[in-house]
Amino acid sequence: MQEDAPKPAKDAAPTGTQTLLRGLGVVQAVASGARDLKEIARLIGTTRSTTHRLASCLVDERYLRVVPQVGYLLGPKLIELGFQAREDLPLVTLAGPYLDELSALTGDTVHLGIREGDEVLYLLKNPGRNGPEMRSRVGHRMPLARTGIGKALMLDDAPQEWQRLYDISLPAGGKSQFWPQHPQQSWEQLEQRMSEYVAGGYAFDLEDNEPSIRCVAAPVRDASKRIVAAVSIASTVPYMPLEKMAELIPLIKGVTARLSAELGLKV
């Protein structure tokens, strides 16, 4: 009996959960590179006739499309749903467990921030067990170029943009309004450091914003590889020596990579 011969009623018209799973299997097969019915059927374990019915339904509903001389491709409906899913993602909710994990592992203060214009906006803060309470708070804004989390949000920018953000971050008279005796990093120092951070995929705050405060930060990316947020681990100098900062780089990059995967980034 050939593959396309009539089958029992159950196979001819699968219903309910079985149909749903088979339909999803067709979409997954096409997403993995299957372009014709024979290959899709092989991957999901159905007959060619059943596969044809499922694929035809998915084409009708725009989840798949058929391109001449190419075969089956993912359809426009999936693109629409993908953008909607990205817009609907509750970043703060998704990030919460990852910040909790970093807090438990390090004992330091952990932040989640996003870029809003030329500033970083703090969305989450887990106070640390090490050292005194930090000035940062949820809803607080700081110039991007003055913080570790801000520098992580700048990693994809051009050097000209780095310099613009550096210039507007300078307080009047070159002195910090909070720490008037604190020397400012020069543009040349920032440019060199940013080049190193781009290569490494992380960023440091080496008391750039407040004396005695250091942090390690890394970016969070979405499915399009765009930086949409950043996470930082911060503490005072006694609890954040340079050796510890270097050790924290793979930890925070691993956590932000997992959070990025939650946002659809394909590693």
Side-chain angles (χ1 to χ4, degrees):
M1 182 180 294
Q2 296 187 4
E3 190 177 21
D4 288 337
K7 293 291 182 180
K10 183 177 179 181
D11 186 53
T15 59
T17 302
Q18 186 181 46
T19 303
L20 174 62
L21 293 176
R22 285 178 172 178
L24 292 172
V26 172
V27 173
Q28 298 255 10
V30 173
S32 69
R35 294 289 173 258
D36 56 42
L37 292 175
K38 181 179 180 181
E39 180 64 9
I40 296 171
R42 184 187 69 81
L43 288 173
I44 68 173
T46 55
T47 65
R48 183 164 178 167
S49 58
T50 296
T51 305
H52 181 265
R53 284 191 295 275
L54 292 167
S56 296
C57 180
L58 290 166
V59 170
D60 291 341
E61 297 297 322
R62 301 172 59 242
Y63 289 95
L64 296 180
R65 72 177 93 200
V66 181
V67 178
Q69 299 181 341
V70 175
Y72 289 95
L73 296 173
L74 298 180
K77 187 67 174 179
L78 289 173
I79 299 174
E80 295 166 11
L81 292 175
F83 276 103
Q84 182 178 339
R86 187 175 69 179
E87 293 299 319
D88 290 346
L89 276 174
L91 177 61
V92 170
T93 301
L94 286 174
Y98 294 97
L99 267 65
D100 292 343
E101 177 183 335
L102 286 174
S103 293
L105 288 172
T106 66
D108 299 315
T109 299
V110 183
H111 299 100
L112 172 75
I114 61 172
R115 180 172 181 166
E116 286 217 337
D118 298 331
E119 298 176 312
V120 54
L121 170 64
Y122 292 94
L123 298 183
L124 277 179
K125 176 184 177 181
N126 279 23
R129 304 184 301 273
N130 299 331
E133 174 72 11
M134 299 181 63
R135 299 171 58 90
S136 58
R137 65 184 185 278
V138 173
H140 189 55
R141 298 171 185 267
M142 288 298 300
L144 288 164
R146 291 175 63 83
T147 65
I149 199 167
K151 292 182 183 72
L153 292 165
M154 294 164 53
L155 290 182
D156 287 350
D157 292 341
Q160 294 88 340
E161 177 68 357
W162 297 342
Q163 185 163 21
R164 185 187 72 81
L165 293 168
Y166 169 79
D167 289 340
I168 65 175
S169 76
L170 293 175
K175 298 290 185 180
S176 168
Q177 59 178 315
F178 300 118
W179 310 98
Q181 305 307 315
H182 184 45
Q184 300 296 316
Q185 62 177 337
S186 69
W187 157 241
E188 291 75 19
Q189 290 172 323
L190 176 64
E191 182 181 31
Q192 180 179 355
R193 287 170 57 188
M194 286 298 299
S195 298
E196 296 171 359
Y197 299 155
V198 169
Y202 68 94
F204 282 172
D205 177 349
L206 298 173
E207 303 179 74
D208 304 316
N209 189 42
E210 297 181 26
S212 83
I213 300 298
R214 291 176 175 173
C215 84
V216 182
V220 177
R221 298 178 183 272
D222 65 8
S224 67
K225 300 184 180 180
R226 181 174 61 95
I227 295 176
V228 294
V231 175
S232 70
I233 306 171
S235 193
T236 55
V237 171
Y239 297 96
M240 192 66 73
L242 295 177
E243 295 79 9
K244 178 180 176 180
M245 295 181 76
E247 294 171 356
L248 288 175
I249 293 172
L251 174 63
I252 195 167
K253 287 179 63 177
V255 168
T256 53
R258 287 158 50 205
L259 179 53
S260 297
E262 293 259 24
L263 298 176
L265 181 67
K266 187 175 182 180
V267 181

